[in-house]
Amino acid sequence: MLVVSAQHEITQRDLRNRSREIMDAVQNGQSFTVTRDGNRIGELIPLRRRRRFVPRGEFAAMSHTAPDISLDAFRSDQAATAEQEADDPYAR
């Protein structure tokens, strides 16, 4: 079990040697400040979970104030984007 000080500071060495234990704690909501030679150098914080779904009522309320979209302009934009070549330096 991971035990940290009240300040939740861990050394770079602790992070290296106990990374799985520390990452499990971060996944469970714990935050840490990482130190090297007694100096604070970074923070490990849990990512905020994004909602996957928006309730229908909320979507309808947001959509009510959205501007009208021209279907022809939308399709034209899609076609123009699809015609562009991929600019991916890793796709070889």
Side-chain angles (χ1 to χ4, degrees):
M1 175 160 199
L2 182 64
V3 178
V4 296
S5 69
Q7 299 161 341
H8 305 292
E9 287 188 357
I10 56 172
T11 65
Q12 178 183 3
R13 179 174 292 187
D14 283 337
L15 179 58
R16 183 186 65 231
N17 293 336
R18 301 167 64 199
S19 63
R20 179 176 176 91
E21 192 176 355
I22 292 167
M23 290 298 121
D24 287 345
V26 170
Q27 185 175 9
N28 290 321
Q30 182 70 49
S31 298
F32 298 93
T33 299
V34 181
T35 63
R36 180 191 310 153
D37 299 325
N39 298 311
R40 300 168 123 200
I41 61 168
E43 294 180 344
L44 289 173
I45 58 172
L47 294 175
R48 290 186 299 177
R49 302 255 186 229
R50 291 186 177 173
R51 288 192 306 181
R52 292 184 138 188
F53 301 102
V54 177
R56 183 184 299 262
E58 188 176 333
F59 179 78
M62 290 186 302
S63 300
H64 182 69
T65 59
D68 290 335
I69 297 174
S70 163
L71 186 56
D72 291 334
F74 178 74
R75 287 185 176 149
S76 175
D77 288 346
Q78 280 186 315
T81 301
E83 292 173 3
Q84 294 176 1
E85 292 189 27
D87 194 19
D88 184 357
Y90 300 107
R92 293 179 192 228

